[in-house]
PDB file of all heavy atoms in Angstrom:
ATOM      1  N   GLY A  47      -8.743   8.793   7.709  1.00  0.00           N
ATOM      2  CA  GLY A  47      -7.610   9.472   8.347  1.00  0.00           C
ATOM      3  C   GLY A  47      -7.345  10.820   7.704  1.00  0.00           C
ATOM      4  O   GLY A  47      -6.202  11.288   7.624  1.00  0.00           O
ATOM      5  N   GLY A  50      -5.046  13.530   8.973  1.00  0.00           N
ATOM      6  CA  GLY A  50      -3.683  13.133   9.329  1.00  0.00           C
ATOM      7  C   GLY A  50      -2.636  13.616   8.338  1.00  0.00           C
ATOM      8  O   GLY A  50      -2.950  14.250   7.324  1.00  0.00           O
ATOM      9  N   GLN A  51      -1.390  13.275   8.658  1.00  0.00           N
ATOM     10  CA  GLN A  51      -0.294  13.834   7.861  1.00  0.00           C
ATOM     11  C   GLN A  51      -0.165  13.203   6.466  1.00  0.00           C
ATOM     12  O   GLN A  51       0.168  13.904   5.511  1.00  0.00           O
ATOM     13  CB  GLN A  51       1.019  13.856   8.628  1.00  0.00           C
ATOM     14  CG  GLN A  51       1.411  12.595   9.342  1.00  0.00           C
ATOM     15  CD  GLN A  51       2.912  12.437   9.355  1.00  0.00           C
ATOM     16  OE1 GLN A  51       3.652  13.336   8.956  1.00  0.00           O
ATOM     17  NE2 GLN A  51       3.372  11.275   9.774  1.00  0.00           N
ATOM     18  N   ILE A  52      -0.446  11.927   6.301  1.00  0.00           N
ATOM     19  CA  ILE A  52      -0.387  11.349   4.945  1.00  0.00           C
ATOM     20  C   ILE A  52      -1.440  12.018   4.061  1.00  0.00           C
ATOM     21  O   ILE A  52      -1.179  12.396   2.913  1.00  0.00           O
ATOM     22  CB  ILE A  52      -0.598   9.816   4.971  1.00  0.00           C
ATOM     23  CG1 ILE A  52       0.588   9.138   5.656  1.00  0.00           C
ATOM     24  CG2 ILE A  52      -0.782   9.261   3.551  1.00  0.00           C
ATOM     25  CD1 ILE A  52       0.480   7.634   5.793  1.00  0.00           C
ATOM     26  N   ASP A  78     -12.939  10.685   9.270  1.00  0.00           N
ATOM     27  CA  ASP A  78     -12.011  10.768  10.406  1.00  0.00           C
ATOM     28  C   ASP A  78     -12.836  10.718  11.681  1.00  0.00           C
ATOM     29  O   ASP A  78     -14.078  10.700  11.630  1.00  0.00           O
ATOM     30  CB  ASP A  78     -11.107  12.015  10.333  1.00  0.00           C
ATOM     31  CG  ASP A  78      -9.756  11.756  11.013  1.00  0.00           C
ATOM     32  OD1 ASP A  78      -9.758  11.357  12.200  1.00  0.00           O
ATOM     33  OD2 ASP A  78      -8.699  11.946  10.368  1.00  0.00           O
ATOM     34  N   LEU A  79     -12.170  10.679  12.813  1.00  0.00           N
ATOM     35  CA  LEU A  79     -12.849  10.559  14.105  1.00  0.00           C
ATOM     36  C   LEU A  79     -13.624  11.847  14.413  1.00  0.00           C
ATOM     37  O   LEU A  79     -13.306  12.912  13.863  1.00  0.00           O
ATOM     38  CB  LEU A  79     -11.793  10.309  15.196  1.00  0.00           C
ATOM     39  CG  LEU A  79     -11.003   9.006  15.033  1.00  0.00           C
ATOM     40  CD1 LEU A  79      -9.871   8.956  16.052  1.00  0.00           C
ATOM     41  CD2 LEU A  79     -11.913   7.794  15.157  1.00  0.00           C
ATOM     42  N   VAL A 123      -6.284   4.946   5.285  1.00  0.00           N
ATOM     43  CA  VAL A 123      -5.060   5.482   5.897  1.00  0.00           C
ATOM     44  C   VAL A 123      -5.248   5.605   7.410  1.00  0.00           C
ATOM     45  O   VAL A 123      -4.313   5.426   8.186  1.00  0.00           O
ATOM     46  CB  VAL A 123      -4.734   6.879   5.307  1.00  0.00           C
ATOM     47  CG1 VAL A 123      -3.463   7.443   5.927  1.00  0.00           C
ATOM     48  CG2 VAL A 123      -4.599   6.819   3.787  1.00  0.00           C
ATOM     49  N   GLY A 124      -6.461   5.923   7.823  1.00  0.00           N
ATOM     50  CA  GLY A 124      -6.735   6.268   9.223  1.00  0.00           C
ATOM     51  C   GLY A 124      -6.385   5.151  10.180  1.00  0.00           C
ATOM     52  O   GLY A 124      -6.953   4.072  10.147  1.00  0.00           O
ATOM     53  N   ALA A 125      -5.418   5.397  11.024  1.00  0.00           N
ATOM     54  CA  ALA A 125      -4.959   4.445  12.024  1.00  0.00           C
ATOM     55  C   ALA A 125      -3.919   5.181  12.849  1.00  0.00           C
ATOM     56  O   ALA A 125      -3.464   6.255  12.464  1.00  0.00           O
ATOM     57  CB  ALA A 125      -4.324   3.227  11.366  1.00  0.00           C
ATOM     58  N   ARG A 126      -3.568   4.574  13.948  1.00  0.00           N
ATOM     59  CA  ARG A 126      -2.522   5.193  14.754  1.00  0.00           C
ATOM     60  C   ARG A 126      -1.166   4.891  14.136  1.00  0.00           C
ATOM     61  O   ARG A 126      -0.878   3.737  13.837  1.00  0.00           O
ATOM     62  CB  ARG A 126      -2.614   4.581  16.158  1.00  0.00           C
ATOM     63  CG  ARG A 126      -1.698   5.229  17.112  1.00  0.00           C
ATOM     64  CD  ARG A 126      -1.928   4.712  18.506  1.00  0.00           C
ATOM     65  NE  ARG A 126      -0.710   4.968  19.245  1.00  0.00           N
ATOM     66  CZ  ARG A 126      -0.444   4.454  20.410  1.00  0.00           C
ATOM     67  NH1 ARG A 126      -1.303   3.647  20.991  1.00  0.00           N
ATOM     68  NH2 ARG A 126       0.672   4.748  21.017  1.00  0.00           N
ATOM     69  N   PRO A 127      -0.294   5.894  13.935  1.00  0.00           N
ATOM     70  CA  PRO A 127       1.037   5.577  13.409  1.00  0.00           C
ATOM     71  C   PRO A 127       1.990   5.161  14.519  1.00  0.00           C
ATOM     72  O   PRO A 127       1.721   5.391  15.699  1.00  0.00           O
ATOM     73  CB  PRO A 127       1.488   6.896  12.779  1.00  0.00           C
ATOM     74  CG  PRO A 127       0.736   7.955  13.487  1.00  0.00           C
ATOM     75  CD  PRO A 127      -0.484   7.335  14.125  1.00  0.00           C
ATOM     76  N   ILE A 144     -10.303  -1.135  14.160  1.00  0.00           N
ATOM     77  CA  ILE A 144     -10.715  -0.119  13.169  1.00  0.00           C
ATOM     78  C   ILE A 144     -11.063  -0.790  11.842  1.00  0.00           C
ATOM     79  O   ILE A 144     -12.062  -0.469  11.192  1.00  0.00           O
ATOM     80  CB  ILE A 144      -9.554   0.891  12.919  1.00  0.00           C
ATOM     81  CG1 ILE A 144      -9.249   1.685  14.184  1.00  0.00           C
ATOM     82  CG2 ILE A 144      -9.853   1.796  11.739  1.00  0.00           C
ATOM     83  CD1 ILE A 144      -8.050   2.638  14.036  1.00  0.00           C
ATOM     84  N   GLN A 148     -14.517  -1.057   9.631  1.00  0.00           N
ATOM     85  CA  GLN A 148     -14.542  -0.467   8.283  1.00  0.00           C
ATOM     86  C   GLN A 148     -14.802  -1.535   7.214  1.00  0.00           C
ATOM     87  O   GLN A 148     -15.465  -1.266   6.207  1.00  0.00           O
ATOM     88  CB  GLN A 148     -13.251   0.316   8.023  1.00  0.00           C
ATOM     89  CG  GLN A 148     -13.197   1.537   8.944  1.00  0.00           C
ATOM     90  CD  GLN A 148     -12.041   2.469   8.695  1.00  0.00           C
ATOM     91  OE1 GLN A 148     -11.230   2.250   7.805  1.00  0.00           O
ATOM     92  NE2 GLN A 148     -11.957   3.523   9.495  1.00  0.00           N
ATOM     93  N   VAL A 165      -3.398   1.365   3.841  1.00  0.00           N
ATOM     94  CA  VAL A 165      -2.103   2.007   4.112  1.00  0.00           C
ATOM     95  C   VAL A 165      -1.795   1.946   5.611  1.00  0.00           C
ATOM     96  O   VAL A 165      -0.656   1.740   6.026  1.00  0.00           O
ATOM     97  CB  VAL A 165      -2.135   3.485   3.635  1.00  0.00           C
ATOM     98  CG1 VAL A 165      -0.863   4.222   4.030  1.00  0.00           C
ATOM     99  CG2 VAL A 165      -2.326   3.547   2.120  1.00  0.00           C
ATOM    100  N   GLY A 166      -2.834   2.111   6.436  1.00  0.00           N
ATOM    101  CA  GLY A 166      -2.652   2.125   7.899  1.00  0.00           C
ATOM    102  C   GLY A 166      -1.977   0.838   8.360  1.00  0.00           C
ATOM    103  O   GLY A 166      -2.332  -0.254   7.914  1.00  0.00           O
ATOM    104  N   ASN A 167      -1.017   0.957   9.250  1.00  0.00           N
ATOM    105  CA  ASN A 167      -0.220  -0.201   9.686  1.00  0.00           C
ATOM    106  C   ASN A 167      -0.857  -0.965  10.849  1.00  0.00           C
ATOM    107  O   ASN A 167      -1.571  -0.380  11.644  1.00  0.00           O
ATOM    108  CB  ASN A 167       1.171   0.279  10.105  1.00  0.00           C
ATOM    109  CG  ASN A 167       2.079   0.431   8.912  1.00  0.00           C
ATOM    110  OD1 ASN A 167       2.042  -0.377   8.002  1.00  0.00           O
ATOM    111  ND2 ASN A 167       2.891   1.477   8.916  1.00  0.00           N
ATOM    112  N   MET A 191      -0.454  -1.852   0.976  1.00  0.00           N
ATOM    113  CA  MET A 191       0.582  -1.062   0.298  1.00  0.00           C
ATOM    114  C   MET A 191       1.997  -1.596   0.550  1.00  0.00           C
ATOM    115  O   MET A 191       2.516  -1.530   1.658  1.00  0.00           O
ATOM    116  CB  MET A 191       0.505   0.399   0.734  1.00  0.00           C
ATOM    117  CG  MET A 191       1.327   1.286  -0.187  1.00  0.00           C
ATOM    118  SD  MET A 191       0.821   2.977  -0.094  1.00  0.00           S
ATOM    119  CE  MET A 191       1.938   3.591   1.154  1.00  0.00           C
ATOM    120  N   HIS A 223       4.766  -5.579   4.763  1.00  0.00           N
ATOM    121  CA  HIS A 223       5.310  -4.208   4.833  1.00  0.00           C
ATOM    122  C   HIS A 223       5.890  -4.024   6.233  1.00  0.00           C
ATOM    123  O   HIS A 223       5.241  -3.539   7.153  1.00  0.00           O
ATOM    124  CB  HIS A 223       4.219  -3.162   4.567  1.00  0.00           C
ATOM    125  CG  HIS A 223       4.684  -1.772   4.887  1.00  0.00           C
ATOM    126  ND1 HIS A 223       5.698  -1.142   4.188  1.00  0.00           N
ATOM    127  CD2 HIS A 223       4.318  -0.906   5.849  1.00  0.00           C
ATOM    128  CE1 HIS A 223       5.920   0.043   4.714  1.00  0.00           C
ATOM    129  NE2 HIS A 223       5.097   0.218   5.736  1.00  0.00           N
ATOM    130  N   SER A 274       6.777   8.502   7.830  1.00  0.00           N
ATOM    131  CA  SER A 274       6.807   8.994   6.447  1.00  0.00           C
ATOM    132  C   SER A 274       5.406   9.413   6.028  1.00  0.00           C
ATOM    133  O   SER A 274       4.431   8.751   6.379  1.00  0.00           O
ATOM    134  CB  SER A 274       7.320   7.897   5.512  1.00  0.00           C
ATOM    135  OG  SER A 274       6.424   6.812   5.511  1.00  0.00           O
ATOM    136  N   ALA A 278       4.692   8.198   1.496  1.00  0.00           N
ATOM    137  CA  ALA A 278       3.623   7.199   1.652  1.00  0.00           C
ATOM    138  C   ALA A 278       2.442   7.579   0.760  1.00  0.00           C
ATOM    139  O   ALA A 278       1.858   6.726   0.076  1.00  0.00           O
ATOM    140  CB  ALA A 278       3.193   7.111   3.114  1.00  0.00           C
TER     141      ALA A 278
HETATM  142  P1  NAD B 516      -1.670  10.567  11.568  1.00  0.00           P
HETATM  143  O1  NAD B 516      -1.707  10.243  13.026  1.00  0.00           O
HETATM  144  O2  NAD B 516      -1.065  11.841  11.116  1.00  0.00           O
HETATM  145  O3  NAD B 516      -3.151  10.508  11.015  1.00  0.00           O
HETATM  146  C1  NAD B 516      -3.990   9.428  11.268  1.00  0.00           C
HETATM  147  C2  NAD B 516      -5.406   9.947  11.156  1.00  0.00           C
HETATM  148  O4  NAD B 516      -6.275   8.829  11.267  1.00  0.00           O
HETATM  149  C3  NAD B 516      -5.781  10.930  12.267  1.00  0.00           C
HETATM  150  O5  NAD B 516      -6.386  12.077  11.710  1.00  0.00           O
HETATM  151  C4  NAD B 516      -6.746  10.123  13.119  1.00  0.00           C
HETATM  152  O6  NAD B 516      -7.741  10.940  13.744  1.00  0.00           O
HETATM  153  C5  NAD B 516      -7.348   9.217  12.062  1.00  0.00           C
HETATM  154  N1  NAD B 516      -8.011   8.042  12.581  1.00  0.00           N
HETATM  155  C6  NAD B 516      -7.694   7.298  13.669  1.00  0.00           C
HETATM  156  N2  NAD B 516      -8.611   6.337  13.845  1.00  0.00           N
HETATM  157  C7  NAD B 516      -9.493   6.457  12.836  1.00  0.00           C
HETATM  158  C8  NAD B 516     -10.668   5.758  12.480  1.00  0.00           C
HETATM  159  N3  NAD B 516     -11.116   4.735  13.208  1.00  0.00           N
HETATM  160  N4  NAD B 516     -11.346   6.144  11.383  1.00  0.00           N
HETATM  161  C9  NAD B 516     -10.927   7.197  10.649  1.00  0.00           C
HETATM  162  N5  NAD B 516      -9.836   7.925  10.949  1.00  0.00           N
HETATM  163  C10 NAD B 516      -9.127   7.546  12.033  1.00  0.00           C
HETATM  164  O7  NAD B 516      -1.004   9.307  10.840  1.00  0.00           O
HETATM  165  P2  NAD B 516      -0.338   9.230   9.389  1.00  0.00           P
HETATM  166  O8  NAD B 516       1.083   9.634   9.514  1.00  0.00           O
HETATM  167  O9  NAD B 516      -1.213   9.875   8.398  1.00  0.00           O
HETATM  168  O10 NAD B 516      -0.296   7.636   9.193  1.00  0.00           O
HETATM  169  C11 NAD B 516      -1.473   6.885   9.066  1.00  0.00           C
HETATM  170  C12 NAD B 516      -1.156   5.389   9.036  1.00  0.00           C
HETATM  171  O11 NAD B 516      -0.393   5.068   7.874  1.00  0.00           O
HETATM  172  C13 NAD B 516      -0.341   4.887  10.217  1.00  0.00           C
HETATM  173  O12 NAD B 516      -0.849   3.617  10.620  1.00  0.00           O
HETATM  174  C14 NAD B 516       1.056   4.713   9.637  1.00  0.00           C
HETATM  175  O13 NAD B 516       1.829   3.781  10.365  1.00  0.00           O
HETATM  176  C15 NAD B 516       0.695   4.212   8.266  1.00  0.00           C
HETATM  177  N6  NAD B 516       1.754   4.266   7.253  1.00  0.00           N
HETATM  178  C16 NAD B 516       1.815   3.220   6.363  1.00  0.00           C
HETATM  179  C17 NAD B 516       2.768   3.207   5.355  1.00  0.00           C
HETATM  180  C18 NAD B 516       2.839   2.050   4.376  1.00  0.00           C
HETATM  181  O14 NAD B 516       3.776   2.026   3.555  1.00  0.00           O
HETATM  182  N7  NAD B 516       1.911   1.082   4.376  1.00  0.00           N
HETATM  183  C19 NAD B 516       3.672   4.270   5.260  1.00  0.00           C
HETATM  184  C20 NAD B 516       3.579   5.336   6.162  1.00  0.00           C
HETATM  185  C21 NAD B 516       2.613   5.307   7.156  1.00  0.00           C
END
Side-chain angles (χ1 to χ4, degrees):
Q51 48 147 8
I52 292 178
D78 209 305
L79 297 172
V123 180
R126 186 174 158 193
I144 295 176
Q148 293 186 1
V165 174
N167 277 321
M191 194 160 93
H223 169 65
S274 64

